[in-house]
Amino acid sequence: MSTKPLRVLVLTCSTRPGALGPAVGRWLLDAITARAAQLGAELVPVALSDLDLPLLDEEEHPSSGVYHQEHTRRWSAMVDAADGFIAVTPEYNYGMPASLKNALDYLGREWAWKPIGFVSYGNTSAGTRSVQHAKQVVTTLRLVPLGATVAIRLGDAVEDGRLRPDPARDAIATGLLDELVRVAHALRPMRDAARPDARPGPLPGSSLRPLTGDDAPEVTVLQRCCWVDEAIVNDTLDIPALHEPLDEVRDWLATWHTLGLWRDGRLLGMVRARRDDTDWHVGRLAVAPDLRGHGLGRWLLRTIEAAAPPACRRILLFTGLKSLRNIDLYQSEGYRTLPSAPSDDVTRLAKDLPR
Ligand SMILES: Cc1cc2nc3c(=O)[nH]c(=O)nc-3n(C[C@H](O)[C@H](O)[C@H](O)COP(=O)(O)O)c2cc1C
């Protein structure tokens, strides 16, 4: 699982002057901030009134992702960067406020596979009809509404425009955050597969995407377990992929073009490449040991070869002197072994790229 903190937008939905919503939002942040730190979640307060979203004014359907208005692009970037949401919402005429419906309608893909929890408030219903209304809308967007809710009856809870302290309510809010974080982690593989930079992989349910520094923990685990076999066949522990600490992995992920093959949140394989003048240096081709023999390594190799910049004339890679299985794979893909000096401790291979 990634160590990247979860980003949770706390949406204050009412927009009218003098609304109670900001006070409810402030109470919520006070109640859950300490727990958020324990859970590794970052809370980002967002007042819908600050977004300046007019009634939906985009020409294209939101599923197109084509946004002409600056306010939509700003809102899209905020929602896209989030892992989950808590909507602090009143009930207006037995439903959610138009501001929330409008903010939901603006976007599509950005909401998908993220949990949403509700903190509602109102008169006798404590805003629960607003939540029921919102739940049937959000599922269309592939938002995942939580079972946990906080429902506040204004008559019981408000004094001088503020919420009266109530430890029981604080505990319910903390429980909502706990559930939100668990669901957000569980949905992460779904979010990953739906990223705009992901494309289907060769196994059903798998997806390929560029890796970044945030993926360093999974990369470190994969390469350590993969290069154990290399250490055994070559009878050496002097292999960088076996030793690199997390920071070094994060550093090279920032400078190499690295592709990762994922399924259900697990990194199944990877390969990296970097241009050096007219050479395309390929390396760190790895497939999880239990998935070898399915053609994943060959698929990853061909995929990274196809990503070579037009200026490159040759692909270069190297492997252990005794890594015969790797050498067989590369030769069957058209690589030739380059002449080596007696002091070389690796086999270098190359393949010309068509001009
Ligand atoms: C347009 C409007 C409609 C409302 N409809 C309901 C309702 O259906 N159920 C309810 O319990 N309270 C309703 N109320 C009362 C609100 O719960 C109460 O005014 C609350 O403070 C509204 O939230 P806000 O101050 O953040 O806008 C309504 C209030 C407004 C302004």
Side-chain angles (χ1 to χ4, degrees):
M1 187 180 283
S2 168
T3 53
K4 193 178 158 211
L6 286 175
R7 175 178 280 235
V8 178
L9 301 194
V10 178
L11 307 172
T12 297
C13 298
S14 58
T15 54
R16 65 188 185 92
L20 188 68
V24 181
R26 270 194 300 279
W27 156 75
L28 179 69
L29 288 169
D30 286 348
I32 64 175
T33 293
R35 181 61 139 225
Q38 289 170 339
L39 294 168
E42 179 196 4
L43 301 175
V44 182
V46 176
L48 297 190
S49 57
D50 289 344
L51 298 178
D52 289 328
L53 289 177
L55 282 177
L56 182 59
D57 63 349
E58 285 289 348
E59 215 173 304
E60 322 280 342
H61 191 285
S63 63
S64 69
V66 176
Y67 301 134
H68 297 289
Q69 308 292 348
E70 187 50 36
H71 51 249
T72 316
R73 286 195 282 268
R74 257 198 326 266
W75 181 223
S76 164
M78 287 168 81
V79 173
D80 206 26
D83 298 291
F85 309 91
I86 302 177
V88 177
T89 183
E91 175 174 306
Y92 288 168
N93 298 314
Y94 286 29
M96 73 175 111
S99 52
L100 175 55
K101 178 71 164 61
N102 190 48
L104 290 166
D105 290 343
Y106 255 95
L107 307 176
R109 180 198 59 74
E110 298 88 335
W111 297 113
W113 311 122
K114 299 176 183 180
I116 182 164
F118 293 94
V119 172
S120 68
Y121 52 96
N123 293 322
T124 38
S125 71
T128 50
R129 290 172 298 216
S130 165
V131 174
Q132 290 310 110
H133 179 211
K135 278 184 174 177
Q136 74 183 37
V137 171
V138 299
T139 53
T140 309
L141 294 163
R142 304 298 185 275
L143 273 160
V144 177
L146 300 181
T149 54
V150 181
I152 302 168
R153 271 169 55 107
L154 296 179
D156 302 335
V158 177
E159 198 173 71
D160 299 331
R162 295 171 60 89
L163 292 195
R164 268 191 218 107
D166 180 350
R169 192 198 315 120
D170 291 358
I172 297 171
T174 305
L176 183 146
L177 181 68
D178 287 353
E179 189 170 310
L180 184 107
V181 167
R182 291 180 69 195
V183 176
H185 279 303
L187 292 173
R188 194 163 238 167
M190 308 277 285
R191 290 200 292 286
D192 263 5
R195 284 167 55 141
D197 58 356
R199 62 185 177 93
L203 294 179
S206 65
S207 60
L208 184 82
R209 67 164 172 82
L211 299 181
T212 68
D214 291 336
D215 301 306
E218 286 86 354
V219 169
T220 305
V221 170
L222 181 69
Q223 63 179 14
R224 285 195 187 179
C225 83
C226 287
W227 266 271
V228 166
D229 285 352
E230 296 303 296
I232 293 167
V233 294
N234 290 288
D235 197 20
T236 177
L237 290 174
D238 188 16
I239 298 176
L242 272 182
H243 302 279
E244 277 169 353
L246 201 58
D247 283 352
E248 278 179 31
V249 173
R250 201 172 276 125
D251 287 349
W252 69 249
L253 280 167
T255 55
W256 287 76
H257 173 60
T258 310
L259 296 174
L261 181 65
W262 298 82
R263 188 173 61 184
D264 298 336
R266 182 184 177 209
L267 183 62
L268 310 180
M270 65 175 187
V271 64
R272 73 180 188 183
R274 187 162 70 177
R275 184 183 157 188
D276 180 7
D277 196 14
T278 57
D279 287 336
W280 187 231
H281 278 256
V282 170
R284 300 291 166 96
L285 179 60
V287 173
D290 59 310
L291 287 168
R292 289 183 188 150
H294 294 272
L296 301 184
R298 197 178 292 278
W299 187 87
L300 283 164
L301 181 61
R302 289 179 183 178
T303 304
I304 202 86
E305 286 176 356
C312 288
R313 295 281 154 260
R314 188 171 79 140
I315 304 176
L316 280 183
L317 47 78
F318 66 86
T319 189
L321 285 176
K322 296 182 190 164
S323 302
L324 301 182
R325 219 165 42 93
N326 297 351
I327 294 168
D328 276 356
L329 166 68
Y330 297 138
Q331 287 180 339
S332 72
E333 287 293 310
Y335 287 80
R336 62 183 192 286
T337 307
L338 296 178
S340 60
S343 57
D344 278 355
D345 53 2
V346 291
T347 303
R348 290 173 208 283
L349 299 107
K351 175 158 114 176
D352 293 331
L353 284 163
R355 285 181 174 264

Coordinates of all heavy atoms in Angstrom, one line a residue, residues 140-171:
T140 N -24.1 7.4 -9.1 CA -24.0 7.5 -10.6 C -22.6 8.0 -11.0 O -22.1 7.6 -12.1 CB -25.0 8.6 -11.1 OG1 -26.3 8.3 -10.5 CG2 -25.1 8.7 -12.6
L141 N -22.0 8.8 -10.1 CA -20.6 9.3 -10.4 C -19.5 8.3 -10.0 O -18.3 8.6 -10.0 CB -20.4 10.6 -9.8 CG -21.3 11.7 -10.3 CD1 -21.4 12.9 -9.4 CD2 -20.8 12.2 -11.7
R142 N -20.0 7.2 -9.5 CA -19.0 6.2 -8.9 C -18.4 6.6 -7.7 O -17.3 6.1 -7.3 CB -17.9 5.7 -9.9 CG -18.5 5.2 -11.3 CD -19.3 3.9 -11.0 NE -19.8 3.3 -12.2 CZ -20.9 3.7 -12.9 NH1 -21.7 4.7 -12.5 NH2 -21.3 3.1 -14.0
L143 N -18.9 7.7 -7.0 CA -18.5 8.0 -5.7 C -19.1 6.9 -4.8 O -20.2 6.3 -5.1 CB -19.1 9.3 -5.2 CG -18.3 10.6 -5.6 CD1 -19.2 11.8 -5.6 CD2 -17.2 10.8 -4.6
V144 N -18.5 6.6 -3.7 CA -18.9 5.5 -2.9 C -19.4 6.1 -1.5 O -18.5 6.5 -0.7 CB -17.8 4.4 -2.7 CG1 -18.3 3.3 -1.7 CG2 -17.4 3.9 -4.0
P145 N -20.7 6.2 -1.3 CA -21.2 6.8 0.0 C -21.0 5.9 1.1 O -21.1 4.6 1.0 CB -22.7 7.0 -0.3 CG -23.1 6.1 -1.4 CD -21.8 5.8 -2.2
L146 N -20.6 6.4 2.3 CA -20.3 5.6 3.5 C -21.6 5.3 4.2 O -22.6 6.1 4.1 CB -19.4 6.4 4.4 CG -18.1 6.8 3.9 CD1 -17.3 7.6 5.0 CD2 -17.3 5.6 3.5
G147 N -21.6 4.3 4.9 CA -22.7 4.0 5.8 C -22.7 4.9 7.0 O -23.8 5.4 7.5
A148 N -21.5 5.2 7.6 CA -21.4 6.1 8.7 C -21.8 7.5 8.3 O -21.4 8.0 7.3 CB -19.9 6.1 9.2
T149 N -22.7 8.1 9.2 CA -23.0 9.5 8.9 C -23.1 10.2 10.3 O -23.3 9.6 11.3 CB -24.4 9.7 8.3 OG1 -25.4 9.0 9.1 CG2 -24.5 9.2 6.9
V150 N -23.0 11.5 10.2 CA -23.3 12.4 11.4 C -24.5 13.2 11.0 O -24.5 13.9 10.0 CB -22.1 13.3 11.7 CG1 -22.4 14.1 12.9 CG2 -20.8 12.6 11.9
A151 N -25.6 13.1 11.8 CA -26.8 13.8 11.5 C -27.1 14.7 12.7 O -27.3 14.2 13.9 CB -28.0 12.8 11.3
I152 N -27.2 16.0 12.5 CA -27.3 16.9 13.6 C -28.7 17.6 13.6 O -29.0 18.3 12.6 CB -26.2 18.0 13.5 CG1 -24.8 17.3 13.5 CG2 -26.3 19.0 14.7 CD1 -23.7 18.2 13.1
R153 N -29.4 17.5 14.7 CA -30.7 18.2 14.9 C -30.4 19.6 15.4 O -29.9 19.7 16.5 CB -31.6 17.4 15.8 CG -32.5 16.4 15.1 CD -33.1 15.5 16.1 NE -33.9 16.3 17.1 CZ -35.2 16.4 17.1 NH1 -35.9 15.7 16.2 NH2 -35.9 17.1 18.0
L154 N -30.7 20.6 14.6 CA -30.3 21.9 15.0 C -30.9 22.3 16.4 O -30.2 23.0 17.2 CB -30.8 22.9 13.9 CG -30.1 22.7 12.6 CD1 -30.6 23.7 11.6 CD2 -28.5 22.8 12.7
G155 N -32.2 21.9 16.6 CA -32.8 22.3 17.9 C -32.0 21.8 19.1 O -32.0 22.5 20.1
D156 N -31.4 20.7 19.0 CA -30.6 20.1 20.1 C -29.2 20.6 20.2 O -28.6 20.6 21.2 CB -30.5 18.6 19.9 CG -31.8 17.9 19.8 OD1 -32.8 18.5 20.3 OD2 -31.9 16.8 19.2
A157 N -28.7 21.0 19.0 CA -27.2 21.2 19.0 C -26.7 22.6 18.9 O -25.5 22.9 19.2 CB -26.7 20.4 17.8
V158 N -27.6 23.6 18.5 CA -27.0 24.9 18.2 C -27.4 25.9 19.3 O -28.5 25.9 19.8 CB -27.6 25.4 16.8 CG1 -27.1 26.8 16.5 CG2 -27.2 24.5 15.7
E159 N -26.4 26.7 19.6 CA -26.6 27.7 20.6 C -25.7 28.9 20.1 O -24.5 28.8 19.8 CB -26.0 27.2 22.0 CG -26.5 28.0 23.2 CD -26.0 27.3 24.4 OE1 -24.8 27.4 24.7 OE2 -26.8 26.7 25.1
D160 N -26.4 30.1 20.0 CA -25.7 31.3 19.6 C -24.9 31.1 18.3 O -23.8 31.5 18.1 CB -24.7 31.8 20.7 CG -25.5 32.2 21.9 OD1 -26.6 32.6 21.9 OD2 -24.8 32.0 23.0
G161 N -25.5 30.4 17.3 CA -24.9 30.2 16.0 C -23.7 29.3 16.0 O -23.0 29.2 15.0
R162 N -23.5 28.6 17.1 CA -22.4 27.6 17.2 C -22.9 26.2 17.7 O -23.9 26.2 18.3 CB -21.3 28.1 18.2 CG -20.6 29.3 17.8 CD -19.7 29.8 18.9 NE -18.7 28.8 19.3 CZ -17.5 28.7 18.7 NH1 -17.2 29.6 17.8 NH2 -16.6 27.8 19.0
L163 N -22.2 25.2 17.4 CA -22.6 23.9 17.9 C -22.1 23.7 19.3 O -21.0 24.0 19.7 CB -21.9 22.8 17.0 CG -22.4 22.6 15.6 CD1 -21.9 21.3 15.0 CD2 -23.9 22.8 15.5
R164 N -23.1 23.3 20.2 CA -22.7 23.0 21.6 C -21.7 21.9 21.6 O -21.8 20.9 20.8 CB -23.9 22.5 22.3 CG -24.7 23.6 23.0 CD -25.7 23.0 23.9 NE -26.9 23.9 23.9 CZ -28.0 23.5 23.3 NH1 -28.2 22.4 22.7 NH2 -29.0 24.4 23.2
P165 N -20.7 21.9 22.5 CA -19.8 20.8 22.6 C -20.6 19.5 22.9 O -21.5 19.5 23.7 CB -18.9 21.1 23.8 CG -19.1 22.6 24.0 CD -20.4 23.0 23.5
D166 N -20.2 18.4 22.3 CA -20.9 17.1 22.5 C -19.9 16.0 22.2 O -19.7 15.6 21.0 CB -22.1 17.1 21.6 CG -22.9 15.7 21.7 OD1 -22.4 14.8 22.4 OD2 -24.0 15.7 21.1
P167 N -19.3 15.4 23.2 CA -18.3 14.4 23.0 C -18.8 13.2 22.2 O -18.1 12.6 21.4 CB -17.9 13.9 24.4 CG -18.3 15.1 25.3 CD -19.5 15.7 24.7
A168 N -20.1 12.9 22.4 CA -20.7 11.7 21.7 C -20.7 12.0 20.2 O -20.4 11.2 19.3 CB -22.1 11.5 22.2
R169 N -21.1 13.3 19.8 CA -21.1 13.7 18.4 C -19.6 13.6 17.8 O -19.4 13.2 16.7 CB -21.7 15.1 18.2 CG -22.0 15.4 16.8 CD -22.2 16.9 16.5 NE -23.0 17.6 17.5 CZ -22.6 18.6 18.2 NH1 -21.4 19.1 18.1 NH2 -23.4 19.2 19.1
D170 N -18.7 14.1 18.6 CA -17.3 14.1 18.2 C -16.8 12.6 17.9 O -16.2 12.4 16.9 CB -16.3 14.6 19.3 CG -16.5 16.1 19.6 OD1 -17.3 16.7 18.8 OD2 -15.8 16.6 20.5
A171 N -17.3 11.7 18.7 CA -16.9 10.3 18.5 C -17.5 9.7 17.2 O -16.9 9.0 16.5 CB -17.3 9.4 19.7

